[in-house]
Amino acid sequence: MIEAAFFALLVIGMVGAGAGVVLLNRITGAALLMAFTFLCNAGMFLLLGAETIAMFQVLIYVGAITVLILYGVMFTPQRDRPYALFFQKQTPLAALFVAPIAIAVAVFSFSFRDSTAGPKGADLAPLATSVFRDFAFPFEVASVLLLAAMVGAIVLVKREDE
Amino acid sequence: MVPGPFGLDPVLWAVLRLVIAVALAAGLVFNGALAQIYLERKIQAIIQDRTGPMHTGPYGLLQTFADAIKLLGKEDIRARLTDHWFFLAAPAIVFAPMLASYVVIPFAPGVMGADLNVGLLYLTTLGSMTVLGIVIAGWASNNKYSLIGGLRSAGQLISYEVPQIVSLVTVVLVVGSLSMTAIVGSQPGLQVNALIIPLAFVTYFIAGLAETNRVPFDLPEAESELVAGFLTEYSGMRWGLFFVAEYGEVTVVSSIIATLWFGGWHGPFTDVHPLLGPALGVLWFTLKTYFFVLVFMWIRATLPRFRIDQLMSFCWKFLIPVTLVNLLVTAILVLAFPTSLVPVAIANWILLFVFAASIPFLQRRRLVSLRARLAAREHAVA
Amino acid sequence: MIPLGAFVAVSAVLFFIGVTGVLVRRNAVVILMCVELMLNATNLALVAFSRRGGIPDERGSVFVVFVFVVAAAEVAVGLAIILALYRNRPTVDVDEVHAMKG
């Protein structure tokens, strides 16, 4: 019962905040709502019993990515402008295409009637075994990707005259 | 569902338990902050050969209460151009994660909020959320000093998170668990982690100083450059909330040090009596924690502040390589000798001595290059 | 007890919110945020399916770890591009950037 109540709250938070990111005209507000969506998603992971993933979710998305995006918002200040100009010209067309697909997928996804009630917690050891044993090579490749991204980001923002 | 006492409805009891736990943690944090402000003033006074607060109450003990009441009674000032909701939200975003950290701190056997098996990861996660509040505080104040202070602080906290987490991982490698209870349980008697991995302790201590914005890393609040950093526009109890959060975080970091490296609640006479034992455990734990709080204050009265570029290069060029080497050596030795911790301890002590001995050497090299640059500049002017 | 379908439906809704944001917003930083929302929706679906039938299969969670890595790399490079763009012309509107249109 309590699980269902939590789930309902998280759904409201996630969908509401997600819609806010798209509709809000204040970009810092959108960034904070995005962080809230990430937190709600971590709550979903806790409901599913994946507590390690939930912790990593908060650590990476809320602690790092939101702060990076806020940096980006603060370094690119903009003039105020009318609300209508926040959206592209193709907005109605995009809505026309996205809405039917979204509704179809959401309805279809309710056909998964399997239970998710498994053992809660204790997913740390199996996760670690998987990452470092079965997926050791992709893990190394991921580290190379991070290194490349870091070098690329530094090269892109470095000024020429220094 | 846990049924409550006195035949209480389980749902009602769950809510009630949450309220009681939050009230307890908040009480701990606020009283701890009051005690620590008094201690800090007294200790700085002793080190600087003054007497500190003396007039309000015996030995000035009531001074911090008077200050707290003054803060609560202050007018709520908000500049007109501040960003309304963010300005209100920022202190809460800084305060709430700090309060939530108290869930996993093991005070004594059986005296803790929840024994998560990812307890240490939970603590680092909450520590990283503070950055968000500080950036927002800097942005919402609509003041260039606040903004620079907030951005500096974000850079500092994100950078020092790396050596902090790597130091914690070293402990986890030796202990083999992320659960705080298991970590305390692995250090009975004098076999504390501080004797096995002292270098990780030193690096974590330095990184912890930076994570809590304490001197010598209190750049975000550098009053000689930035007025008061992200705190500039805040006053009254909102400012007080930031302040309490800072002291709360110092306590959290100190209790992590006490738990991970100094055996947590372990101490003499903890197993004499089923009721007295946990009480003594809480006492030992509090004493160990407050010892490190006192060391933090001692450092504040002793060291000057870093410059921002020195702060960053110290982290990225010195602290992170040292912690990574330590992690690598520890991992190899733990794999090679799964039954004994003696090789890890020997290697760690050797690394610690190399670390300590390299500091004067590096200092001399820096001075030489600095003198060369100065000489070149003088030459150019002449 | 919450069925698997509920989690997947939430994930789908969040994903399409992200798609809509990418399609309709002008501001490049907001587009980046919406891409993050889409990645989050994927994470939720992956974790939900890894718990299918109550037997945890950690391979789904491993994929989530890789999504974290990709998301971090993506946001770092994306913001670097936006900053470089802003330095050349003070705008982050994606439809005002047509220097490479030929």
Side-chain angles (χ1 to χ4, degrees):
Chain A
M1 213 282 287
I2 283 193
E3 268 189 19
F6 267 121
F7 182 76
L9 278 180
L10 289 174
V11 169
I12 293 168
M14 228 163 138
V15 174
V21 174
V22 177
L23 296 175
L24 223 62
N25 57 358
R26 273 206 351 225
I27 303 170
T28 37
L32 263 200
L33 282 182
M34 183 187 69
F36 187 68
T37 320
F38 295 160
L39 273 181
C40 290
N41 204 357
M44 292 272 184
F45 292 162
L46 285 182
L47 274 185
L48 283 164
E51 49 184 27
T52 313
I53 294 291
M55 295 298 151
F56 280 132
Q57 162 94 9
V58 178
L59 184 67
I60 294 168
Y61 277 104
V62 180
I65 287 182
T66 310
V67 173
L68 260 182
I69 284 190
L70 276 173
Y71 257 80
V73 171
M74 288 169 194
F75 280 125
T76 55
Q78 304 243 327
R79 317 174 298 282
D80 281 337
R81 57 162 80 184
Y83 186 67
L85 277 183
F86 267 81
F87 298 109
Q88 303 259 21
K89 287 173 224 105
Q90 74 264 27
T91 302
L93 207 62
L96 205 68
F97 276 107
V98 168
I101 306 176
I103 291 167
V105 171
V107 169
F108 169 70
S109 55
F110 274 110
S111 62
F112 294 105
R113 299 210 169 273
D114 306 69
S115 143
T116 52
K120 299 290 179 210
D123 66 329
L124 179 66
L127 180 66
T129 319
S130 270
V131 170
F132 290 114
R133 198 155 287 158
D134 308 337
F135 291 86
F137 182 68
F139 187 70
E140 294 298 321
V141 175
S143 69
V144 174
L145 172 73
L146 272 183
L147 183 68
M150 192 174 82
V151 173
I154 292 173
V155 168
L156 273 171
V157 292
K158 199 166 161 53
R159 284 172 212 269
E160 294 291 327
D161 49 80
E162 276 172 333
Chain B
M1 290 268 82
V2 191
F6 313 119
L8 218 58
D9 185 50
V11 176
L12 203 66
W13 172 237
V15 176
L16 202 64
R17 225 167 28 154
L18 192 69
V19 172
I20 292 173
V22 171
L24 267 179
L28 259 182
V29 168
F30 280 102
N31 289 320
L34 286 179
Q36 283 178 42
I37 293 168
Y38 177 75
L39 274 176
E40 175 135 39
R41 286 181 177 165
K42 275 294 183 195
I43 282 170
Q44 294 221 37
I46 292 166
I47 291 174
Q48 295 163 357
D49 207 8
R50 298 181 283 122
T51 54
M54 284 302 277
H55 289 290
T56 324
Y59 299 101
L61 269 171
L62 295 177
Q63 183 64 48
T64 46
F65 287 93
D67 287 344
I69 291 165
K70 181 204 80 176
L71 272 184
L72 280 172
K74 253 186 163 178
E75 188 195 348
D76 180 25
I77 301 169
R78 217 170 48 223
R80 192 152 47 89
L81 287 177
T82 52
D83 209 324
H84 184 83
W85 287 107
F86 289 0
F87 196 75
L88 297 184
I93 296 178
V94 173
F95 188 78
M98 186 276 301
L99 196 62
S101 322
Y102 280 79
V103 169
V104 293
I105 290 177
F107 294 98
V111 188
M112 65 188 295
D115 184 17
L116 300 183
N117 61 356
V118 288
L120 207 53
L121 191 59
Y122 175 81
L123 280 175
T124 34
T125 299
L126 290 174
S128 78
M129 279 174 71
T130 315
V131 191
L132 195 59
I134 289 178
V135 172
I136 288 168
W139 169 259
S141 298
N142 204 356
N143 172 330
K144 63 184 170 198
Y145 294 118
S146 298
L147 185 61
I148 296 172
L151 291 184
R152 265 188 183 187
S153 171
Q156 172 185 339
L157 293 183
I158 288 182
S159 303
Y160 277 87
E161 233 164 58
V162 181
Q164 193 194 16
I165 292 177
V166 176
S167 310
L168 292 180
V169 168
T170 317
V171 179
V172 173
L173 270 180
V174 170
V175 175
S177 171
L178 281 169
S179 147
M180 298 296 265
T181 327
I183 292 173
V184 177
S186 75
Q187 320 173 44
L190 281 177
Q191 194 209 330
V192 290
N193 276 340
L195 295 177
I196 301 169
I197 34 175
L199 180 57
F201 163 60
V202 172
T203 48
Y204 180 79
F205 189 81
I206 296 172
L209 273 179
E211 282 287 305
T212 49
N213 287 337
R214 296 285 295 191
V215 178
F217 301 104
D218 63 338
L219 266 283
E221 302 149 45
E223 62 264 30
S224 50
E225 311 163 33
L226 285 175
V227 192
F230 60 90
L231 296 171
T232 308
E233 295 290 342
Y234 281 91
S235 66
M237 206 46 217
R238 283 205 195 99
W239 178 83
L241 216 52
F242 276 118
F243 211 63
V244 170
E246 189 183 314
Y247 279 106
E249 249 164 64
V250 169
T251 320
V252 169
V253 167
S254 304
S255 57
I256 291 176
I257 291 174
T259 311
L260 263 60
W261 280 279
F262 291 90
W265 66 65
H266 284 303
F269 313 119
T270 40
D271 44 6
V272 283
H273 189 270
L275 213 64
L276 196 65
L280 270 176
V282 173
L283 178 70
W284 298 136
F285 178 77
T286 316
L287 283 180
K288 285 172 186 174
T289 305
Y290 267 78
F291 174 74
F292 288 101
V293 172
L294 291 186
V295 175
F296 273 53
M297 292 169 183
W298 174 21
I299 288 174
R300 173 165 180 184
T302 313
L303 290 180
R305 184 181 291 137
F306 270 106
R307 218 172 51 210
I308 183 77
D309 58 321
Q310 294 168 338
L311 176 103
M312 285 298 175
S313 62
F314 176 70
C315 179
W316 288 100
K317 293 181 188 164
F318 192 63
L319 211 52
I320 291 181
V322 166
T323 49
L324 283 178
V325 167
N326 190 17
L327 178 68
L328 184 69
V329 170
T330 312
I332 291 173
L333 288 177
V334 166
L335 260 187
F337 303 95
T339 51
S340 162
L341 286 176
V342 178
V344 177
I346 294 171
N348 229 282
W349 278 102
I350 293 173
L351 278 176
L352 178 66
F353 282 118
V354 172
F355 173 81
S358 69
I359 290 173
F361 173 72
L362 287 173
Q363 201 72 5
R364 205 169 309 139
R365 245 187 48 185
R366 252 196 80 229
L367 271 182
V368 167
S369 76
L370 203 68
R371 288 214 185 93
R373 246 189 304 165
L374 273 180
R377 196 186 296 166
E378 269 174 27
H379 187 74
V381 170
Chain C
M1 218 293 297
I2 305 146
L4 176 63
F7 286 102
V8 181
V10 175
S11 151
V13 169
L14 190 67
F15 187 85
F16 281 104
I17 287 175
V19 170
T20 320
V22 170
L23 285 179
V24 304
R25 289 298 295 248
R26 284 168 191 253
N27 191 313
V29 182
V30 179
I31 290 179
L32 211 57
M33 289 184 210
C34 292
V35 173
E36 293 300 327
L37 286 189
M38 287 158 71
L39 285 172
N40 252 277
T42 329
N43 285 351
L44 181 54
L46 281 170
V47 173
F49 277 119
S50 82
R51 306 278 145 169
R52 187 173 189 175
I55 311 143
D57 181 348
E58 290 304 331
R59 280 177 296 178
S61 302
V62 173
F63 267 84
V64 175
V65 172
F66 289 126
V67 171
F68 288 157
V69 173
V70 172
E74 176 248 320
V75 83
V77 175
L79 276 177
I81 291 173
I82 292 172
L83 284 188
L85 191 71
Y86 188 80
R87 200 171 286 151
N88 283 331
R89 340 177 16 175
T91 177
V92 287
D93 274 12
V94 281
D95 50 356
E96 279 182 36
V97 183
H98 38 61
M100 289 219 271
K101 215 171 177 179

